[in-house]
Amino acid sequence: MTRKTGGPPEGRTDEEPWTPPGSDEPIQRSLDLVKRGDSGEDLDDGECDFIYGDIVHDDEADESIALVVVNVPGIDAEEWEFDDGDTLADRTPKYPNDDDVVIVVPLDVLDEYLPYWDERETPLPIERLVDDEVPYAPFPSLQLVLVEKSHLRD
């Protein structure tokens, strides 16, 4: 049913328009996913949409900060376990349990830690991030929005 008031339902932050850098047109992530589905594009090809070096935003953050994809470990959210025993899926029930885990580091932190990260061609091992005490965060892939494509994409 069409809403007469317009805009997203109250409390639905996943429906707010967002304007990517370099674009004049705002997008709505869920609408774009629907359009991809309508075009016949395979939405579940078994591969994560992100690669090392992609710059992304957390779709649920009140204030977006630039995050860099540093690793895609190839596991599902239900397999990523935190020290307290919770899984990523437990902490993000809005997303499918089998969504891909994507590891990100804030851009400013990565610039300081590894100034030439954008010339690197391989993901950063999670163990290295832990050993070097670099703050990182795991996200379900569907919670992230691509802002700028990796230097590794052709």
Side-chain angles (χ1 to χ4, degrees):
M1 182 169 172
T2 306
R3 299 186 71 236
K4 293 181 181 178
T5 60
E10 191 172 322
R12 289 282 306 270
T13 60
D14 61 326
E15 295 297 322
E16 292 179 17
W18 173 75
T19 304
S23 174
D24 296 328
E25 295 292 320
I27 62 170
Q28 283 185 284
R29 185 161 200 262
S30 59
L31 178 60
D32 289 344
L33 289 173
V34 168
K35 286 180 181 178
R36 279 179 57 195
D38 289 346
S39 71
E41 193 173 331
D42 186 5
L43 295 179
D44 187 18
D45 58 6
E47 290 186 24
C48 184
D49 290 337
F50 300 108
I51 64 170
Y52 172 79
D54 282 339
I55 298 177
V56 297
H57 284 169
D58 176 356
D59 196 38
E60 295 186 3
D62 291 333
E63 292 184 31
S64 294
I65 63 167
L67 305 167
V68 181
V69 174
V70 295
N71 196 304
V72 181
I75 61 172
D76 296 339
E78 64 190 355
E79 298 172 297
W80 181 274
E81 194 169 308
F82 293 94
D83 290 338
D84 65 2
D86 280 354
T87 65
L88 183 58
D90 294 334
R91 294 187 182 182
T92 55
K94 181 178 178 179
Y95 300 98
N97 290 348
D98 63 350
D99 193 12
D100 293 311
V101 173
V102 177
I103 308 300
V104 299
V105 171
L107 177 59
D108 58 340
V109 170
L110 190 60
D111 277 339
E112 186 176 319
Y113 169 67
L114 192 66
Y116 301 105
W117 67 266
D118 58 345
E119 295 175 12
R120 184 182 173 93
E121 294 187 9
T122 58
L124 289 171
I126 297 168
E127 298 79 20
R128 179 175 172 187
L129 297 173
V130 171
D131 290 346
D132 293 344
E133 299 180 2
V134 176
Y136 67 91
F139 280 88
S141 70
L142 293 175
Q143 189 174 338
L144 299 173
V145 177
L146 182 64
V147 175
E148 186 178 318
K149 291 181 180 179
S150 170
H151 61 285
L152 299 176
R153 294 184 189 262
D154 289 330

